[in-house]
Coordinates of all heavy atoms in Angstrom, one line a residue:
A89 N 16.2 0.8 18.4 CA 16.1 1.6 19.6 C 14.7 1.7 20.1 O 14.5 1.7 21.3 CB 16.7 3.0 19.3
E90 N 13.8 1.9 19.2 CA 12.3 2.0 19.6 C 11.9 0.6 20.2 O 11.2 0.6 21.2 CB 11.5 2.4 18.5 CG 10.0 2.4 18.8 CD 9.6 3.4 19.9 OE1 10.4 4.3 20.3 OE2 8.5 3.2 20.4
V91 N 12.3 -0.5 19.6 CA 11.9 -1.8 20.1 C 12.5 -1.9 21.5 O 11.8 -2.4 22.5 CB 12.4 -2.9 19.2 CG1 12.3 -4.3 19.8 CG2 11.6 -2.9 17.9
A92 N 13.8 -1.6 21.7 CA 14.5 -1.7 23.0 C 13.8 -0.8 24.0 O 13.8 -1.1 25.2 CB 15.9 -1.4 22.8
R93 N 13.3 0.4 23.6 CA 12.7 1.3 24.5 C 11.5 0.6 25.2 O 11.3 0.8 26.4 CB 12.3 2.6 23.8 CG 11.6 3.6 24.7 CD 11.1 4.8 23.9 NE 10.0 4.6 23.1 CZ 8.7 4.6 23.6 NH1 8.5 4.8 24.8 NH2 7.7 4.3 22.8
L94 N 10.7 -0.1 24.4 CA 9.5 -0.7 25.0 C 9.8 -2.1 25.6 O 9.1 -2.6 26.4 CB 8.4 -0.9 23.9 CG 7.8 0.4 23.4 CD1 6.7 0.2 22.4 CD2 7.3 1.3 24.6
D95 N 10.9 -2.8 25.1 CA 11.2 -4.1 25.6 C 12.8 -4.2 25.7 O 13.4 -4.7 24.8 CB 10.7 -5.2 24.7 CG 11.0 -6.6 25.2 OD1 11.5 -6.7 26.3 OD2 10.6 -7.5 24.5
P96 N 13.3 -3.7 26.8 CA 14.8 -3.7 27.0 C 15.4 -5.1 26.9 O 16.6 -5.3 26.7 CB 15.0 -3.1 28.4 CG 13.7 -2.4 28.7 CD 12.6 -3.1 27.9
S97 N 14.6 -6.2 27.1 CA 15.1 -7.5 27.0 C 15.3 -8.0 25.6 O 16.0 -9.1 25.4 CB 14.2 -8.5 27.8 OG 13.0 -8.6 27.0
Q98 N 14.9 -7.2 24.7 CA 15.0 -7.6 23.2 C 16.5 -7.6 22.8 O 17.1 -6.5 23.0 CB 14.1 -6.7 22.4 CG 14.0 -7.2 21.0 CD 13.1 -8.4 20.8 OE1 13.5 -9.5 21.1 NE2 11.8 -8.2 20.4
P99 N 17.0 -8.7 22.3 CA 18.4 -8.6 21.9 C 18.6 -7.8 20.7 O 17.8 -7.8 19.8 CB 18.8 -10.1 21.7 CG 17.4 -10.7 21.3 CD 16.4 -10.0 22.1
S100 N 19.8 -7.1 20.6 CA 20.1 -6.4 19.3 C 20.6 -7.4 18.3 O 21.1 -8.4 18.6 CB 21.1 -5.3 19.6 OG 22.3 -5.9 20.1
K101 N 20.3 -7.1 17.1 CA 20.7 -8.0 16.0 C 21.9 -7.4 15.2 O 21.9 -6.2 15.0 CB 19.5 -8.2 15.0 CG 18.4 -8.9 15.7 CD 17.3 -9.3 14.7 CE 16.2 -10.0 15.4 NZ 15.1 -10.3 14.5
P102 N 22.8 -8.2 14.7 CA 23.9 -7.8 13.9 C 23.4 -7.4 12.5 O 22.3 -7.8 12.1 CB 24.8 -9.0 13.9 CG 23.9 -10.1 14.0 CD 22.8 -9.7 14.9
P103 N 24.2 -6.6 11.8 CA 23.8 -6.3 10.4 C 23.8 -7.5 9.6 O 24.5 -8.5 9.8 CB 24.9 -5.3 10.0 CG 25.6 -4.9 11.2 CD 25.4 -5.9 12.2
A104 N 22.9 -7.5 8.6 CA 22.9 -8.6 7.6 C 24.1 -8.6 6.8 O 24.7 -7.5 6.5 CB 21.6 -8.5 6.7
Q105 N 24.6 -9.7 6.3 CA 25.8 -9.8 5.6 C 25.6 -9.8 4.1 O 24.6 -10.4 3.6 CB 26.6 -11.0 5.9 CG 27.0 -11.1 7.4 CD 28.0 -10.0 7.8 OE1 28.9 -9.7 7.1 NE2 27.7 -9.3 8.9
A106 N 26.4 -9.1 3.4 CA 26.3 -9.1 1.9 C 26.7 -10.4 1.4 O 27.4 -11.2 2.0 CB 27.3 -8.0 1.3
T107 N 26.1 -10.8 0.2 CA 26.4 -12.1 -0.4 C 27.4 -11.9 -1.5 O 27.7 -10.8 -1.9 CB 25.1 -12.7 -0.9 OG1 24.5 -11.9 -1.9 CG2 24.1 -12.9 0.3
A108 N 27.8 -13.1 -2.1 CA 28.8 -13.0 -3.2 C 28.1 -13.1 -4.5 O 28.8 -13.5 -5.5 CB 29.8 -14.2 -3.0
R109 N 26.9 -12.8 -4.7 CA 26.2 -12.9 -6.0 C 26.1 -11.5 -6.6 O 26.3 -10.5 -5.9 CB 24.9 -13.6 -5.8 CG 23.8 -12.8 -5.0 CD 22.5 -13.5 -5.0 NE 21.4 -12.8 -4.4 CZ 20.6 -12.0 -5.0 NH1 20.7 -11.8 -6.3 NH2 19.7 -11.3 -4.4
T110 N 25.7 -11.4 -7.8 CA 25.5 -10.2 -8.5 C 24.0 -9.7 -8.2 O 23.1 -10.5 -8.3 CB 25.7 -10.3 -10.0 OG1 27.0 -10.7 -10.2 CG2 25.4 -9.0 -10.7
V111 N 23.9 -8.5 -7.8 CA 22.6 -7.9 -7.5 C 22.4 -6.7 -8.4 O 23.3 -5.8 -8.5 CB 22.5 -7.4 -6.0 CG1 21.2 -6.7 -5.7 CG2 22.6 -8.6 -5.1
T112 N 21.2 -6.6 -9.0 CA 20.9 -5.5 -9.9 C 20.3 -4.3 -9.2 O 19.7 -4.5 -8.1 CB 20.0 -5.9 -11.0 OG1 18.7 -6.3 -10.5 CG2 20.6 -7.1 -11.8
L113 N 20.3 -3.2 -9.8 CA 19.6 -2.0 -9.3 C 18.1 -2.3 -9.1 O 17.5 -1.8 -8.2 CB 19.9 -0.8 -10.2 CG 19.4 0.5 -9.7 CD1 20.1 0.9 -8.4 CD2 19.7 1.6 -10.8
A114 N 17.6 -3.0 -10.1 CA 16.1 -3.3 -10.0 C 15.8 -4.2 -8.8 O 14.7 -4.0 -8.2 CB 15.7 -4.1 -11.3
E115 N 16.7 -5.1 -8.4 CA 16.5 -5.9 -7.2 C 16.5 -5.0 -6.0 O 15.7 -5.2 -5.1 CB 17.5 -7.0 -7.1 CG 17.4 -8.1 -8.1 CD 18.5 -9.1 -7.9 OE1 19.6 -8.9 -8.5 OE2 18.3 -10.1 -7.2
V116 N 17.4 -4.1 -5.9 CA 17.5 -3.2 -4.8 C 16.2 -2.3 -4.7 O 15.6 -2.2 -3.6 CB 18.8 -2.3 -4.9 CG1 18.8 -1.2 -3.8 CG2 20.0 -3.1 -4.8
R117 N 15.8 -1.8 -5.9 CA 14.6 -1.0 -5.9 C 13.4 -1.8 -5.4 O 12.6 -1.3 -4.6 CB 14.4 -0.5 -7.3 CG 13.2 0.4 -7.4 CD 12.9 0.8 -8.9 NE 11.8 1.8 -8.9 CZ 10.5 1.4 -8.9 NH1 10.2 0.1 -8.8 NH2 9.5 2.3 -8.9
A118 N 13.3 -3.0 -5.9 CA 12.1 -3.8 -5.5 C 12.1 -4.1 -4.0 O 11.0 -4.1 -3.4 CB 12.1 -5.1 -6.3
A119 N 13.3 -4.4 -3.5 CA 13.4 -4.6 -2.0 C 13.0 -3.4 -1.2 O 12.2 -3.5 -0.2 CB 14.8 -5.1 -1.7
V120 N 13.5 -2.3 -1.6 CA 13.2 -1.0 -0.9 C 11.7 -0.7 -1.0 O 11.0 -0.2 -0.1 CB 14.1 0.1 -1.4 CG1 13.6 1.5 -0.8 CG2 15.5 -0.2 -1.0

Side-chain angles (χ1 to χ4, degrees):
E90 177 59 18
V91 169
R93 182 183 72 84
L94 293 182
D95 184 4
S97 69
Q98 192 70 282
S100 60
K101 294 187 179 178
Q105 297 299 312
T107 62
R109 68 181 187 89
T110 300
V111 174
T112 65
L113 187 62
E115 288 177 274
V116 174
R117 182 185 184 279
V120 172

